[in-house]
Amino acid sequence: MTMHLRVALLALLSACLVLGGCQLGKKTWPRPQKSEDRFSFGTIRAGRDQGCLLIEIEIQGAAQNIALVSVLFESVGRDPGDGCPTCPFIPRQATSYSPGRAGFVLSGNTLRITHCGLTPGKTYRWKVTAANVYPVLGVVETGVFELAP
């Protein structure tokens, strides 16, 4: 082998090691897997008990990825600030719940939310939204429900 050939091979080998070695130890942030990390709402049941709204929701999918749940309310009636039964839903109050906080219980795939402070004798329209721990997966929400006294 001639000296020029050895230098050329050594340069080629060095270039391969440098360029190939750049990939070693490469770190990237974990990305959510949409199919594995997503959740949705299944069966929803609700009732009232002494000024409290009791909501039970069956979670389908990755229930452990629920980061925050919000309950949006609108009272319905003739008092100032009330909505009308046939008007579009315009929430006038929202309360948020998160894992480990009062009013939030996640047991397996069943989520129970307890919201107190409802005015006795008043009808309410409400809906629930839930945010995933992976913000890129968006927010899940229910339809609008009405709960009479």
Side-chain angles (χ1 to χ4, degrees), residues 31-95:
R31 293 185 179 197
Q33 302 297 313
K34 289 185 179 183
S35 61
E36 297 170 12
D37 296 326
R38 193 176 294 265
F39 61 84
S40 61
F41 293 145
T43 305
I44 301 167
R45 290 182 282 284
R48 286 175 84 156
D49 183 30
Q50 298 182 359
C52 295
L53 172 62
L54 311 171
I55 304 169
E56 184 175 282
I57 303 173
E58 176 190 325
I59 305 297
Q60 299 170 338
Q64 74 280 1
N65 287 349
I66 295 175
L68 184 71
V69 174
S70 296
V71 183
L72 295 85
F73 294 95
E74 174 186 45
S75 58
V76 178
R78 296 180 186 258
D79 294 333
D82 284 348
C84 70
T86 57
C87 297
F89 177 66
I90 300 173
R92 289 162 168 80
Q93 178 187 6
T95 304

Side-chain angles (χ1 to χ4, degrees), residues 88-138:
F89 177 66
I90 300 173
R92 289 162 168 80
Q93 178 187 6
T95 304
S96 295
Y97 301 89
S98 58
R101 299 293 217 172
F104 181 106
V105 176
L106 181 60
S107 177
N109 280 358
T110 302
L111 173 64
R112 290 181 186 87
I113 299 292
T114 302
H115 174 79
C116 295
L118 301 180
T119 303
K122 185 149 290 283
T123 297
Y124 287 89
R125 291 195 294 179
W126 58 274
K127 77 177 193 175
V128 176
T129 65
N132 199 302
V133 294
Y134 300 111
V136 70
L137 294 181

